[in-house]
Amino acid sequence: MITVNPDGKIMVRRCLVTLRPFRLFVLGIGFFTLCFLMTSLGGQFSARRLGDSPFTIRTEVPGGSDSRGALRKMSDLLELMVKRMDMLARLENGSELHHPASVTHLAADRITPGAGLVERIQAIAQNVSDIAVKVDQILRHSLILHSKVSEGRRDQCEAPSDPKFPDCSGKVEWMRARWTSDPCYAFFGVDGTECSFLIYLSEVEWFCPPLPWRNQTASRTAPKALPKVQAVFRSNLSHLLELMGSGKESLIFMKKRTRRFTAQWTKAAKHLAQKLGDIRRDQKQILVHIGFLTEESGDVFSPRVLKGGPLGEMVQWADILAALYVLGHSLRITVSLKELQSNLGVPPGRGNCPLTVPLPFDLIYTDYHGLQQMKQHMCRIRVIDTFGTEPAYNHEEYATLHGYRTNWGYWNLNPKQFMTMFPHTPDNSFMGFVSEELNETEKQLIKDSKASNMAVVYGKEASIWKLQGKEKFLAILNKYMEIHGTVYYESQRPPEVPAFVKNHGLLPQPEFQQLLRKAKLFIGFGFPYEGPAPLEAIANGCIFLQSRFSPPHSSLNHEFFRGKPTSREVFSQHPYAENFIGKPHVWTVDYNNSEEFEAAVKAIMNTQVDPYLPYEYTCMGMLERIHAYIQHQDFCAGPSPAPPGAHTAQSPFVLAPNATHLEWAQNISSMAGAWPPPHSLRAWLAAPGRACTDACLDRGLVCEPSFFPHLNSQDAFLKLQVPCDSTEWEMHHLYPAFAQPGQECYLQKEPLLFSCAGASTKYQRLCPCRDFLKGQVALCQGCL
């Protein structure tokens, strides 16, 4: 504790009252100089603290000579101040001889403390002079010491030739040229010296051996794992709304949607809890990073929310957040790169340095934008991918060599880590979204209030109405139905919308739902592809009319699909609605054939349908699906690829009684923990030019890529009575397959290339199929 002498207080107070302005100015300069002196001196010592940088060895002490000079100048300045104050005091004493006695007494009181102050400043000046000498000695000793250390270690900072670390010298060369390319290297102490390169490459990354003179005792110890907490279903979504944040129109839209579906999520959670019974579910720590909403990715969606822009991605993300939260998992939601890096513990910079702390999350849900912002812990990532990524585009080396490389692929993930809006291909995991589910009373009210001659056009942006030839089929439709539109506009009616169309402008979602409940028909113009609106219309009792594409649209002939990591051919605007729902709810016709179009309109007017929603797009269906994924999908413990020519055990299959396909042998138990369970597998040899996706659907089954390793053997061909004159292991996305001309069997060399998609007339593909739950194509009958 610091004590203050009361006499000292009185002295200072009297000095401030009696000294003249000039003297106060001089004292102020002295005090400021003294503070500056101590700050400068403290900075020099703090700059030499031991923890400055573990990777930096300095050969000089910057600022040493400047500090010594500053100390001398300040000492001289204080001495000069003392001399001037002494002279002023003498003048003051001389002038007091001419004053009255009472004033002289007052002057005597103030001269005494002034003299004491001079003595104190003299003492400070002497101390500063002594400190200057000592600092000079310390700095000289420090220079000598660091010079010796630097000379001693310089020979130890050369890239070692160690066969256990063959990449070390190459990485050192890279660091010499590129260490300034990312600030994260400087964050870890890299400063351009050889020692800093080697320390970084041996202690932060693992390309070089540890340096012998470094302290190796302080090894990193992983923190203790947190105790497992059981996941409990939630019914109150208010905390989720807080987690979602605000400030963006896209987030506002997503929160409104979540509020609107709260009752349905709650009902679905109760049903699933009853269905699962006492099954224990561990609560997962989940990070959800919505990359397309970050400023770094451009966030082109938020400004268009109120102008009729696409909402499909936001619909899906809102439902994913709701499902994860209702299932009882712990969520962290980020919509900025800064938030993402903070939650992951990423060092500042461009993301080229590894994380040095354990990842605090069990799962990470993101999209392609987020994937580019996050390059580590890939096995825990789940990529929300609207249109899907086929294995041929996902494998970087294969995609580069065979022309499949695009801006969105080549991440070398397990293809099941990509989660789609619709079940495009079984190679990916079907995530989906939800549509509003009506009770029986609401369904009956809709049926009673339907107008038989009212149509609503699918297209909120004026650009969609620029379709060439629309006037022809709209004129036909206008003969039978009153046409309504919901096209966004600010002040004037969009000229692309014909005069006979009643345009309501962009409607809020509840009002749009009411419009659909009155309408008989929901008609698409061919774009946008595979959005949620047709399912919402069908769920509200509309019939969906769409155009058939001939030839089918794909990356080969349509700009929209060019660059997307899929070769899928789209035969209509909404393939899921066409293939999984179909008539009477979905009609797909050739819009260029006027007779076919008009006949379809007439038939639709005479067709009665009930509101219909596929089970997999209900809250219950989505909860089941995500629950199964979280419980069973583990991509961090994937199987290692079998080398070419390696001996493989005989496949656990038998030929079916009708000799058309293979089945899992009843006397062979399924592998423990395998998911989906292999006993649901059926293996078929597809016709030439037929993809496994189609070959399985033709038999009422779905292709299951996780079963490919069971079939990837010559024994599987032999049991199907396929003669193999030769067998080759190669890296190809169509293998395993049989080539007819040469009786050649081809087996897959790269597990990441097992693919249900893809076909060639040259090959008959060996296809693994499985059953599925009614209305839940993503899950087999024993998967839940």
Side-chain angles (χ1 to χ4, degrees):
M1 181 179 293
I2 300 174
T3 59
V4 180
N5 192 323
D7 295 337
K9 289 184 179 180
I10 297 171
M11 178 190 73
V12 173
R13 191 179 296 114
R14 286 178 178 176
C15 285
L16 292 175
V17 172
T18 59
L19 290 179
R20 295 178 182 177
F22 175 74
R23 299 174 195 173
L24 285 172
F25 174 75
V26 173
L27 283 174
I29 290 294
F31 180 73
F32 173 79
T33 304
L34 183 61
C35 292
F36 181 79
L37 161 68
M38 302 309 295
T39 303
S40 176
L41 186 61
Q44 289 301 318
F45 282 113
S46 65
R48 298 310 310 156
R49 66 186 186 274
L50 294 177
D52 181 29
S53 171
F55 302 153
T56 304
I57 300 176
R58 301 185 185 276
T59 56
E60 61 178 3
V61 181
S65 59
D66 295 340
S67 300
R68 293 192 292 271
L71 286 169
R72 292 193 185 98
K73 289 180 181 178
M74 292 176 185
S75 177
D76 295 340
L77 180 60
L78 287 171
E79 290 288 350
L80 180 61
M81 287 174 60
V82 169
K83 292 178 181 179
R84 291 188 177 181
M85 289 188 67
D86 185 64
M87 181 178 65
L88 288 171
R90 290 172 183 167
L91 290 174
E92 183 90 353
N93 290 337
S95 64
E96 296 299 330
L97 296 175
H98 305 286
H99 290 177
S102 61
V103 179
T104 303
H105 177 75
L106 179 61
D109 289 341
R110 72 188 182 195
I111 290 174
T112 302
L117 183 62
V118 169
E119 292 175 359
R120 289 170 183 255
I121 295 178
Q122 286 178 327
I124 292 173
Q126 182 60 44
N127 289 336
V128 169
S129 179
D130 294 340
I131 291 172
V133 174
K134 292 180 180 179
V135 169
D136 184 80
Q137 293 174 350
I138 292 172
L139 293 176
R140 289 178 182 276
H141 178 73
S142 178
L143 279 172
I144 295 172
L145 177 63
H146 281 278
S147 177
K148 290 181 179 180
V149 171
S150 177
E151 291 175 1
R153 292 184 179 176
R154 189 172 295 127
D155 294 337
Q156 303 176 44
C157 291
E158 296 180 358
S161 299
D162 191 331
K164 296 180 180 179
F165 300 88
D167 299 324
C168 182
S169 58
K171 289 294 181 179
V172 171
E173 288 292 334
W174 188 94
M175 291 292 288
R176 287 195 193 106
R178 300 292 303 279
W179 73 273
T180 58
S181 63
D182 194 321
C184 72
Y185 298 119
F187 174 81
F188 283 113
V190 177
D191 60 2
T193 62
E194 295 294 300
C195 281
S196 69
F197 296 154
L198 288 172
I199 293 172
Y200 172 85
L201 292 171
S202 62
E203 297 182 11
V204 180
E205 300 193 34
W206 299 272
F207 292 105
C208 295
L211 298 176
W213 49 269
R214 292 284 295 173
N215 181 10
Q216 303 298 326
T217 59
S219 59
R220 300 189 189 96
T221 57
K224 294 183 179 179
L226 295 175
K228 293 289 185 181
V229 178
Q230 190 167 355
V232 179
F233 286 100
R234 298 187 180 106
S235 58
N236 188 341
L237 274 62
S238 58
H239 182 56
L240 172 62
L241 299 177
E242 295 177 5
L243 291 175
M244 292 170 71
S246 59
K248 292 176 177 283
E249 291 295 340
S250 50
L251 294 176
I252 294 173
F253 170 84
M254 291 164 63
K255 291 169 73 171
K256 287 181 179 178
R257 177 180 176 83
T258 302
R259 287 193 193 97
R260 187 159 55 90
F261 280 85
T262 297
Q264 296 191 36
W265 284 117
T266 302
K267 181 180 177 182
K270 291 180 180 178
H271 288 170
L272 184 57
Q274 294 173 357
K275 194 171 186 177
L276 295 178
D278 296 330
I279 295 177
R280 178 182 174 85
R281 299 181 305 113
D282 291 334
Q283 185 185 68
K284 303 292 186 181
Q285 301 294 320
I286 299 177
L287 173 65
V288 180
H289 178 61
I290 310 177
F292 77 92
L293 292 183
T294 63
E295 297 299 330
E296 291 78 9
S297 68
D299 188 13
V300 299
F301 289 88
S302 294
R304 299 172 62 191
V305 169
L306 300 179
K307 298 182 179 180
L311 302 176
E313 287 81 359
M314 283 166 270
V315 165
Q316 187 180 30
W317 274 110
D319 296 345
I320 290 171
L321 291 174
L324 293 173
Y325 186 81
V326 167
L327 285 169
H329 298 292
S330 177
L331 300 187
R332 194 78 58 85
I333 304 169
T334 63
V335 291
S336 75
L337 185 56
K338 185 176 181 180
E339 289 177 320
L340 172 67
Q341 292 176 339
S342 174
N343 281 285
L344 293 178
V346 175
R350 299 185 177 91
N352 291 308
C353 297
L355 298 180
T356 55
V357 295
L359 188 70
F361 301 103
D362 300 303
L363 293 172
I364 301 173
Y365 287 82
T366 187
D367 52 18
Y368 260 120
H369 295 285
L371 193 59
Q372 293 173 339
Q373 299 165 359
M374 185 169 28
K375 299 178 182 178
Q376 296 170 343
H377 301 284
M378 300 298 254
C379 65
R380 302 190 193 184
I381 291 177
R382 306 295 183 265
V383 184
I384 308 305
D385 179 12
T386 303
F387 292 97
T389 298
E390 294 176 2
Y393 294 81
N394 170 61
H395 193 281
E396 182 176 17
E397 179 185 354
Y398 185 81
T400 303
L401 292 175
H402 295 84
Y404 290 103
R405 181 155 182 153
T406 69
N407 291 333
W408 300 107
Y410 66 84
W411 284 97
N412 293 325
L413 300 178
N414 186 310
K416 283 285 187 181
Q417 289 179 254
F418 297 100
M419 298 188 153
T420 60
M421 182 173 283
F422 292 94
H424 308 303
T425 167
D427 294 320
N428 304 146
S429 296
F430 164 46
M431 173 61 76
F433 57 94
V434 301
S435 287
E436 189 167 1
E437 192 174 3
L438 306 177
N439 57 41
E440 293 303 320
T441 302
E442 291 171 323
K443 291 180 181 179
Q444 189 59 46
L445 287 174
I446 288 176
K447 291 175 64 177
D448 295 340
S449 61
K450 278 289 180 184
S452 61
N453 62 342
M454 178 178 173
V456 176
V457 175
Y458 180 19
K460 297 174 293 185
E461 290 187 289
S463 58
I464 297 175
W465 291 70
K466 295 179 180 179
L467 177 69
Q468 291 184 354
K470 72 174 185 301
E471 293 81 6
K472 188 175 181 179
F473 65 79
L474 279 181
I476 296 174
L477 180 62
N478 189 44
K479 292 194 307 182
Y480 301 95
M481 292 190 177
E482 182 180 79
I483 304 175
H484 293 249
T486 57
V487 185
Y488 167 80
Y489 66 95
E490 292 181 356
S491 57
Q492 296 181 350
R493 179 187 176 92
E496 297 86 355
V497 180
F500 55 78
V501 175
K502 183 178 181 180
N503 185 30
H504 299 264
L506 187 64
L507 294 177
Q509 194 67 14
E511 295 182 25
F512 180 64
Q513 295 281 342
Q514 291 300 320
L515 187 65
L516 291 177
R517 293 183 179 187
K518 296 178 183 178
K520 175 75 173 182
L521 177 68
F522 190 61
I523 179 172
F525 283 178
F527 188 85
Y529 299 100
E530 299 176 307
L535 265 65
E536 293 177 350
I538 295 168
N540 282 286
C542 292
I543 292 175
F544 178 51
L545 177 62
Q546 63 173 347
S547 60
R548 183 188 301 116
F549 300 149
S550 182
H553 293 183
S554 70
S555 59
L556 298 177
N557 61 9
H558 205 275
E559 187 62 31
F560 179 83
F561 290 102
R562 192 162 290 124
K564 289 183 171 56
T566 175
S567 299
R568 187 165 58 100
E569 293 182 327
V570 177
F571 289 85
S572 63
Q573 181 176 356
H574 207 290
Y576 176 87
E578 178 185 9
N579 298 321
F580 286 85
I581 301 177
K583 290 183 178 180
H585 300 279
V586 180
W587 293 60
T588 305
V589 301
D590 182 4
Y591 280 19
N592 294 319
N593 187 327
S594 299
E595 293 180 359
E596 182 182 357
F597 181 85
E598 187 168 5
V601 172
K602 290 179 179 179
I604 288 171
M605 292 184 67
N606 296 319
T607 301
Q608 299 297 321
V609 296
D610 293 331
Y612 172 72
L613 179 63
Y615 176 76
E616 53 200 353
Y617 284 96
T618 65
C619 292
M620 181 66 176
M622 188 169 185
L623 282 181
E624 275 187 1
R625 209 162 45 247
I626 296 183
H627 158 75
Y629 292 157
I630 292 175
Q631 290 294 104
H632 300 291
Q633 285 186 337
D634 183 3
F635 304 116
C636 295
S640 57
H647 174 73
T648 56
Q650 288 189 345
S651 58
F653 302 108
V654 294
L655 189 65
N658 59 5
T660 59
H661 63 281
L662 298 180
E663 297 178 346
W664 191 269
Q666 294 182 357
N667 61 343
I668 297 180
S669 60
S670 299
M671 293 176 293
W675 193 86
H679 62 73
S680 63
L681 190 152
R682 306 287 185 271
W684 303 78
L685 192 67
R690 198 74 173 153
C692 285
T693 303
D694 300 323
C696 293
L697 285 176
D698 291 343
R699 295 163 175 85
L701 304 170
V702 294
C703 180
E704 178 50 61
S706 64
F707 290 161
F708 268 116
H710 300 304
L711 299 178
N712 197 40
S713 68
Q714 187 175 4
D715 183 67
F717 285 104
L718 294 177
K719 286 187 175 179
L720 278 171
Q721 302 175 354
V722 176
C724 297
D725 291 346
S726 65
T727 303
E728 300 290 339
W729 289 74
E730 293 185 11
M731 192 167 65
H732 198 290
H733 72 287
L734 300 181
Y735 296 165
F738 173 70
Q740 183 70 35
Q743 303 290 309
E744 295 174 316
C745 293
Y746 294 95
L747 301 178
Q748 181 60 259
K749 179 181 177 181
E750 172 52 66
L752 287 180
L753 284 174
F754 284 130
S755 175
C756 293
S760 169
T761 55
K762 179 181 176 182
Y763 300 113
Q764 286 185 267
R765 300 195 57 193
L766 186 55
C767 300
C769 308
R770 64 161 170 84
D771 56 29
F772 57 91
L773 292 172
K774 183 180 179 180
Q776 187 73 289
V777 69
L779 303 179
C780 67
Q781 294 180 8
C783 282
L784 192 58

